[in-house]
Amino acid sequence: MQCLGTVGQRKHPLIWLVAVACGVAVAAAGCGGSSSSGGGGSTPTLTVSAAASLKDAFTTCAQSFKQAKLKFSFAGSDQLAAQIRQGASPNVFASANTKLPDQLAAEGKLSKPQVFAGNKLVIAVPRDSKITGLADLEKPGTSIVIGDASVPIGSYTREVLGRLPPAQEKAILANVKSEEPDVASIVGKLTQGAAEAGFTYVSDVKGTKGQLKAVDLPANLQPSVAYGAGIVKGTPNTKESQAFIDDVISGSCSKVMQQNGFLPPPDA
């Protein structure tokens, strides 16, 4: 609509209505000028598919991350990787291991993964438990919960058990009552009293705020726990996605990670 000049009272009523309408348009968005949407634009939203063990730390990190709003999907790393293979397109995939991100990158579904944190495997038990080590897990009747073999926590657990003498490994596995799809489910079983011990990350024990305590594993049995992340190919806002990964590795989020029991990224 073209703006008209001053319209006298003797002009045709229709012309006068056009002028009034143009005046309203000028007030709202500028009549006959550029149709700019205004400066800056809105803050983008990033969807981050992340291992269940990252829930507390990442949720806290989201409160101070300025480049984008963060929306999370927490589950077992293998489940999240399967969703990406089936067509899901979060911006960032953060796994509790490096194997799954490396596989997705090799399949052309993920950018080159970066190691962003470490962790430590422990035996998690209720705070009043008398269990003090692996020998107690061998005792008949001790109820143990572990992760499914397909998820990182289950894989790390089996790595530890595989280093034990065969008879000790067999005795501990005989006491396993359930295999869970993610570490959050293991913690849930323990805090609800459904099991006496479980293998989790030390960060998950810390997240229970005293409901559980950690029993350390011998140093020679401790696996190297490394978390990897990458940007999902074809998703928008790659700049902001990389900024989030950088923040987790060395920014303010890295401090939050360590406050939640995570370790710095292990040497590649």
Side-chain angles (χ1 to χ4, degrees):
M1 183 188 302
Q2 183 178 359
C3 290
L4 302 179
T6 303
V7 181
Q9 292 181 351
R10 294 182 180 180
K11 297 294 183 180
H12 193 282
L14 180 59
I15 297 177
W16 182 83
L17 289 172
V18 170
V20 171
C22 189
V24 173
V26 168
C31 183
S34 65
S35 58
S36 171
S37 60
S42 60
T43 303
T45 297
L46 301 182
T47 299
V48 180
S49 290
S53 56
L54 293 163
K55 184 175 182 178
D56 288 347
F58 273 17
T59 301
T60 301
C61 290
Q63 299 172 13
S64 59
F65 186 69
K66 304 300 183 184
Q67 290 91 328
K69 298 176 183 177
L70 298 176
K71 177 181 176 183
F72 296 108
S73 174
F74 295 108
S77 299
D78 67 320
Q79 179 182 340
L80 298 172
Q83 291 172 358
I84 293 171
R85 288 187 172 106
Q86 293 164 6
S89 55
N91 299 91
V92 176
F93 172 54
S95 174
N97 64 7
T98 56
K99 178 181 177 181
L100 289 167
D102 285 344
Q103 288 177 345
L104 289 175
E107 295 165 17
K109 300 183 182 299
L110 201 71
S111 66
K112 183 179 179 180
Q114 295 176 265
V115 178
F116 66 88
N119 215 326
K120 186 171 74 168
L121 199 71
V122 296
I123 303 169
V125 297
R127 60 184 177 184
D128 59 352
S129 174
K130 304 301 183 184
I131 291 174
T132 60
L134 287 167
D136 293 318
L137 302 187
E138 299 177 61
K139 296 176 181 178
T142 304
S143 57
I144 303 170
V145 59
I146 65 175
D148 186 84
S150 65
V151 295
I153 188 63
S155 177
Y156 292 131
T157 298
R158 285 162 178 78
E159 184 178 339
V160 169
L161 297 179
R163 294 172 180 170
L164 297 174
Q168 188 178 15
E169 178 187 12
K170 182 178 179 181
I172 292 174
L173 288 174
N175 285 331
V176 172
K177 303 305 179 187
S178 68
E179 299 184 13
E180 300 298 320
D182 55 46
V183 73
S185 299
I186 299 173
V187 171
K189 292 279 189 181
L190 294 171
T191 56
Q192 293 163 16
E196 297 173 81
F199 289 86
T200 72
Y201 306 114
V202 69
S203 59
D204 294 291
V205 174
K206 189 165 186 175
T208 67
K209 296 177 171 57
Q211 288 182 276
L212 302 178
K213 64 181 180 180
V215 176
D216 287 335
L217 295 168
N220 64 319
L221 297 180
Q222 183 64 229
S224 176
V225 179
Y227 285 60
I231 301 169
V232 177
K233 291 288 187 70
T235 59
N237 303 313
T238 56
K239 180 179 178 181
E240 292 82 2
S241 298
Q242 185 59 54
F244 175 67
I245 295 174
D246 292 341
D247 192 43
V248 175
I249 294 174
S250 59
S252 60
C253 188
S254 68
K255 297 179 178 64
V256 173
M257 295 284 287
Q258 292 178 40
Q259 289 167 3
N260 279 265
F262 288 87
L263 302 174
D267 295 334

